[in-house]
Amino acid sequence: MAALSSPLRVCRGILKELRAIQGPGYKRSLAYGYVMDQFRKNKASLPPSNVTGERYCRAQQEAHHDSHTYLCLLESTRNHMLLHNLYHGKGERSPEEVAGLVGLRLPTQPGGKGWEK
């Protein structure tokens, strides 16, 4: 399993995705408040340095893993919507437009090679 990035980086990534979804007023949203509360709560629940309780460590690791999974979900959803909007059918397309989508060019004259003007 790959190592998780730092909690601060995950928090910033989640806030970046919220900003991309909701625009400049994202700090007034319920999602922003919930994310910040959860990160503050898990930061405050650290055990003292001389006591290492498995309960605290495990709960913190689970919270970090959940936040990392949520960040992955937000990023994947945004990328999916970008691709969907780019390639989603917009009705009937011309043969030239379809060829351009896959990186091809149609011949300019019947029987031509395609590079003549």
Side-chain angles (χ1 to χ4, degrees), residues 39-70:
F39 272 94
R40 286 183 188 124
K41 183 178 85 171
N42 286 314
K43 180 181 175 188
S45 70
L46 291 174
S49 60
N50 58 357
V51 178
T52 58
E54 281 186 35
R55 188 175 64 186
Y56 291 115
C57 292
R58 183 169 181 176
Q60 188 179 14
Q61 286 177 351
E62 286 176 359
H64 186 208
H65 183 268
D66 290 345
S67 63
H68 193 268
T69 303
Y70 185 59

Side-chain angles (χ1 to χ4, degrees), residues 2 7 13 17 19-20 25 50 58 80 88 91 93 95-96 99 103-104 109 112:
E17 294 299 324
R19 188 180 323 117
N50 58 357
R58 183 169 181 176
H80 168 74
H88 182 63
R93 296 183 186 211
E96 292 84 12
L104 300 174
Q109 61 182 356

